[in-house]
């Protein structure tokens, strides 16, 4: 299974159904995404995650979002998940995911939460909701975090604002409603995926 993220953009497929997994995930991978998150408040999420792992686990980091408890981490490990994304900072969830060798992206809003996540073993954190805090907050937070800790912007990031977060010190982002909305056609997913990949490549071309 793939346990790396070459392009640090996580596709958040909230609300996707099992019958839609094949079409949307395949297009995302074709356009350059290699990290896929299916939130646990999506319908029939176990089936969707199992399908995604079986079909795409060798080509992308397949994981789950809105993970709130240790029992869910245990079940996700059984399904073959390699990525755990949370909306909050729960040290027990982080430790369990780390114990399984998963990539864990815990949601943090403050320096206190960020350091709690790092102490629990997180190597990356998810600043959520990023649109509320903005790039200046990223700069302030990054100034006190260990240099090796990667920050992902999640929540309200668009192709137009992605470069602002990257320039502020984020390594990447989690992309939700501006990439995928429940029920949208695969063609729309492809267009949005291309817009985000192009924005990322342009923002990082001179680095």
């Amino acid at each position: 299974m793939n346990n790396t993220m070459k392009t640090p953009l996580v596709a958040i497929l909230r609300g996707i159904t099992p019958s839609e997994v094949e079409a949307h995930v395949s297009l995302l991978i074709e356009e350059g995404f290699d990290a896929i998150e299916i939130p646990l408040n999506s319908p029939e999420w176990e089936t969707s995650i199992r399908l995604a792992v079986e079909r795409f686990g060798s080509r992308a980091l397949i994981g789950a979002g809105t993970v709130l408890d240790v029992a869910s981490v245990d079940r996700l490990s059984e399904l073959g998940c390699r990525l755990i994304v949370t909306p909050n900072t729960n040290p027990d969830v982080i430790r369990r995911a780390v114990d399984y060798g998963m990539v864990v992206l815990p949601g943090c809003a403050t320096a206190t939460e960020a350091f709690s996540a790092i102490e629990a073993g997180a190597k990356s954190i998810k600043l959520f909701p990023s649109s509320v805090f903005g790039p200046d907050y990223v700069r302030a937070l990054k100034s006190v975090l260990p240099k090796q800790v990667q920050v992902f912007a999640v929540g309200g990031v668009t192709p137009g604002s992605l470069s602002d977060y990257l320039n502020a010190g984020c390594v990447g982002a989690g992309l939700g409603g501006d990439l995928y909305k429940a029920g949208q056609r695969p063609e729309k997913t492809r267009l949005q995926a291309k817009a985000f990949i192009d924005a990322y490549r342009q923002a990082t071309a001179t680095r």
Side-chain angles (χ1 to χ4, degrees):
M1 288 184 181
N2 190 347
N3 206 34
T4 60
M5 197 185 306
K6 295 176 183 176
T7 302
L9 300 177
V10 180
I12 303 169
L13 304 182
R14 189 178 306 280
I16 198 165
T17 63
S19 64
E20 297 170 311
V21 166
E22 174 94 19
H24 290 273
V25 176
S26 62
L27 290 176
L28 287 164
I29 293 174
E30 285 176 16
E31 292 301 328
F33 279 80
D34 61 0
I36 309 294
E37 170 195 335
I38 297 176
L40 299 194
N41 54 4
S42 302
E44 299 181 71
W45 61 265
E46 288 196 38
T47 303
S48 291
I49 289 174
R50 184 185 298 109
L51 288 170
V53 169
E54 290 174 355
R55 180 68 177 82
F56 303 104
S58 63
R59 300 166 59 196
L61 190 67
I62 304 297
T66 319
V67 180
L68 300 176
D69 52 57
V70 169
S72 295
V73 180
D74 291 338
R75 178 60 184 138
L76 291 163
S77 176
E78 293 172 358
L79 292 171
C81 267
R82 306 308 303 157
L83 171 67
I84 296 293
V85 185
T86 75
N88 61 339
T89 306
N90 184 328
D92 290 337
V93 168
I94 296 167
R95 291 190 189 98
R96 184 61 62 89
V98 170
D99 286 345
Y100 281 122
M102 295 169 163
V103 175
V104 58
L105 200 55
C108 304
T110 66
T112 298
E113 291 175 345
F115 278 102
S116 177
I118 293 165
E119 185 178 355
K123 294 180 172 56
S124 301
I125 63 168
K126 157 188 161 180
L127 178 62
F128 178 79
S130 294
S131 60
V132 174
F133 294 102
D136 286 341
Y137 187 85
V138 173
R139 290 186 182 91
L141 185 62
K142 284 282 292 181
S143 71
V144 299
L145 294 180
K147 291 190 187 311
Q148 70 272 21
V149 173
Q150 298 180 326
V151 178
F152 285 71
V154 182
V157 180
T158 68
S161 66
L162 178 59
S163 63
D164 294 333
Y165 288 102
L166 297 176
N167 291 334
C170 288
V171 67
L175 309 169
D178 280 278
L179 174 66
Y180 173 85
K181 290 184 174 68
Q184 80 179 23
R185 294 180 63 80
E187 292 81 2
K188 176 71 170 178
T189 299
R190 184 192 288 279
L191 288 173
Q192 293 303 100
K194 180 175 173 50
F196 274 111
I197 291 293
D198 287 348
Y200 175 80
R201 288 174 176 164
Q202 291 172 14
T204 58
T206 57
R207 294 184 182 181

